[in-house]
Amino acid sequence: MGAGHAHKLYRHGHSPIHTLPPHCKLAAAFAFVVVVVSTPREAVWAFGLYAVLIAAVTAAARIPAGFLLRRLLIEVPFVAFAVLMPFVAQGERVEVLGMSLSVSGLWGAWNVLAKGTLGVAASVLLASTTELRALLLGLQRLKLPPLLVQIASFMIRYGDVITDELRRMSIARRSRGFEAAGIRHWGVLAKTAGALFIRSYERGERVHLAMVSRGYAGSMPVIDEVVATRAQWAYAAVLPAAALAVCLMGWIL
């Protein structure tokens, strides 16, 4: 399976987390998110322990806290949605700082914020310690449908190519004196989007024909197969196992 260059989310390192096989990390991250989502929202203390577990993994991976926090900003739209919930939800109301808020809305906002933040943090840690190419190999190792893996591979590989194409088109427009200044220029931008789609489609056709002529039959060859040992699986299982213990305590208590 081909690779591209390192993504901005990836942070090169030699920590024990970096050296784990990608399919181990994928399985551990997925299991952790499932456990977090399954935790009752009323168990506030449990989410605090989950945050401690994430902090411990971050320290073990030698990822700076600022690096992780900056990439958590991707969830800002969900935060905005959560903030509105106490104001629009129905049911019992409570006064908070002079504002009438819905109790169910407050719990719903907490549920979205806590679980969403922990899920995003786990995903960012996974991307920070695993190269994109390795993630694709891990998905393939976990028997994800090959077609989905191939689509993701091409999307990653050619995303930057299409972005560069759009940048060149933008430079060409500006060199001819064009500056988008209002609604009257939307037509030009729409034509640019159409031209970009056609160019991308034609490029895809050429790439596909070139691959078929070289023996492509629906899957890329895997050159460096990665096999995980029992010790590596056990090491990766520490995070979801600890989270599961916390979740069970949350349901019991």
Side-chain angles (χ1 to χ4, degrees), residues 87-111:
F87 296 94
V88 300
Q90 302 299 318
E92 181 184 354
R93 315 293 292 187
V94 63
E95 291 290 331
V96 178
L97 299 178
M99 296 179 292
S100 177
L101 304 177
S102 167
V103 174
S104 62
L106 287 171
W107 278 116
W110 160 251
N111 194 48

Side-chain angles (χ1 to χ4, degrees), residues 32-33 36 46-48 50-51 54 75 113-123:
F32 174 78
V33 171
V36 169
F47 296 100
Y50 293 148
I54 288 290
E75 69 164 341
L113 285 175
K115 296 180 179 180
T117 301
L118 290 167
V120 172
S123 301

Side-chain angles (χ1 to χ4, degrees), residues 182-243:
I183 192 172
R184 58 193 176 91
H185 291 137
W186 285 8
V188 177
L189 298 178
K191 292 177 181 177
T192 299
L196 179 64
F197 174 79
I198 293 173
R199 293 186 184 185
S200 301
Y201 183 83
E202 291 176 344
R203 183 187 294 271
E205 288 282 325
R206 294 194 300 270
V207 170
H208 179 258
L209 290 175
M211 292 174 63
V212 170
S213 68
R214 290 164 174 80
Y216 177 74
S219 61
M220 300 292 286
V222 178
I223 300 175
D224 48 350
E225 184 73 10
V226 178
V227 179
T229 64
R230 291 184 179 180
Q232 289 173 322
W233 274 112
Y235 187 76
V238 171
L239 175 65

Side-chain angles (χ1 to χ4, degrees), residues 16-237:
I17 308 299
H18 282 80
T19 56
L20 277 177
H23 48 290
C24 293
K25 289 185 279 187
L26 281 164
F30 178 76
F32 174 78
V33 171
V34 170
V35 171
V36 169
V37 172
S38 303
T39 304
R41 64 186 184 182
E42 292 79 10
V44 178
W45 58 269
F47 296 100
L49 292 180
Y50 293 148
V52 172
L53 290 176
I54 288 290
V57 175
T58 303
R62 300 168 193 155
I63 301 295
F67 183 91
L68 177 64
L69 294 175
R70 286 194 300 272
R71 279 146 185 80
L72 287 179
L73 293 177
I74 193 174
E75 69 164 341
V76 168
F78 298 97
V79 173
F81 170 75
V83 169
L84 293 176
M85 292 180 66
F87 296 94
V88 300
Q90 302 299 318
E92 181 184 354
R93 315 293 292 187
V94 63
E95 291 290 331
V96 178
L97 299 178
M99 296 179 292
S100 177
L101 304 177
S102 167
V103 174
S104 62
L106 287 171
W107 278 116
W110 160 251
N111 194 48
V112 171
L113 285 175
K115 296 180 179 180
T117 301
L118 290 167
V120 172
S123 301
V124 171
L125 275 176
L126 176 64
S128 301
T129 57
T130 316
E131 293 182 347
L132 284 177
R133 175 175 178 273
L135 283 175
L136 294 174
L137 289 172
L139 291 173
Q140 189 171 10
R141 182 72 180 175
L142 292 173
K143 305 303 181 182
L144 196 74
L147 181 58
L148 294 180
V149 177
Q150 293 302 311
I151 291 174
S153 175
F154 290 127
M155 180 185 68
I156 293 170
R157 177 183 293 274
Y158 291 103
D160 289 339
V161 175
I162 295 175
T163 301
D164 287 340
E165 186 74 28
L166 180 61
R167 181 181 57 82
R168 288 193 295 270
M169 294 171 69
S170 176
I171 293 174
R173 289 197 310 268
R174 291 199 301 271
S175 67
R176 290 165 175 79
F178 174 81
E179 290 290 341
I183 192 172
R184 58 193 176 91
H185 291 137
W186 285 8
V188 177
L189 298 178
K191 292 177 181 177
T192 299
L196 179 64
F197 174 79
I198 293 173
R199 293 186 184 185
S200 301
Y201 183 83
E202 291 176 344
R203 183 187 294 271
E205 288 282 325
R206 294 194 300 270
V207 170
H208 179 258
L209 290 175
M211 292 174 63
V212 170
S213 68
R214 290 164 174 80
Y216 177 74
S219 61
M220 300 292 286
V222 178
I223 300 175
D224 48 350
E225 184 73 10
V226 178
V227 179
T229 64
R230 291 184 179 180
Q232 289 173 322
W233 274 112
Y235 187 76

